[in-house]
Amino acid sequence: QVQLVESGGGLVQAGGSLRLSCAASGTFVRINAMGWYRQAPGKQRELVARIIRDGSTNYADSVKGRFTISRDNAKNTVYLQMNSLKPEDTAVYYCNADVLSAVTYRELVSWGQGTQVTVSS
């Protein structure tokens, strides 16, 4: 089992910044990748940013140059620094982790419960 605890959401004005954090805990051998997805009302969940084991990252085109994903391997934590926020960034942001389970030695994908980000115009 993997538990993901998210924090850092909230209400911010357009142009402002927020930093999301997601800490992973549980019985796993290693983290293969962690990322952030978001889901706005009436829309499908979409990838925002992802960082894999070797440190490489990928971003949605809509957030490139504004958002930065990073990680602290010692803390099994991933961060999403969001700058120059826009009203269209308003959504529930979900943390995602792809780990190698210590129980089954198979890939295990887990999701956090989500944190609300609201950007006012």
Side-chain angles (χ1 to χ4, degrees), residues 5-113:
V5 178
E6 301 145 331
S7 61
L11 172 65
V12 65
Q13 288 188 333
S17 299
L18 284 174
R19 188 191 194 210
L20 305 183
S21 300
C22 174
S25 62
T27 51
F28 50 87
V29 176
R30 67 172 183 263
I31 296 175
N32 295 323
M34 291 186 77
W36 291 94
Y37 290 71
R38 68 186 180 187
Q39 188 166 17
K43 295 188 176 181
Q44 289 189 332
R45 191 173 297 188
E46 63 175 1
L47 173 69
V48 177
R50 194 165 181 256
I51 184 166
I52 64 175
R53 183 168 174 77
D54 65 1
S56 59
T57 59
N58 61 294
Y59 296 89
D61 287 343
S62 58
V63 307
K64 284 180 181 177
R66 300 187 298 122
F67 292 10
T68 302
I69 190 168
S70 61
R71 66 184 183 187
D72 183 333
N73 290 334
K75 296 181 179 180
N76 292 327
T77 298
V78 66
Y79 306 96
L80 185 68
Q81 178 66 43
M82 305 185 293
N83 298 328
S84 302
L85 282 160
K86 304 175 180 180
E88 50 263 44
D89 295 316
T90 295
V92 178
Y93 284 69
Y94 296 91
C95 179
N96 167 275
D98 178 345
V99 307
L100 179 63
S101 170
V103 176
T104 65
Y105 274 81
R106 291 184 175 183
E107 181 182 355
L108 176 65
V109 178
S110 297
W111 292 90
Q113 293 195 340

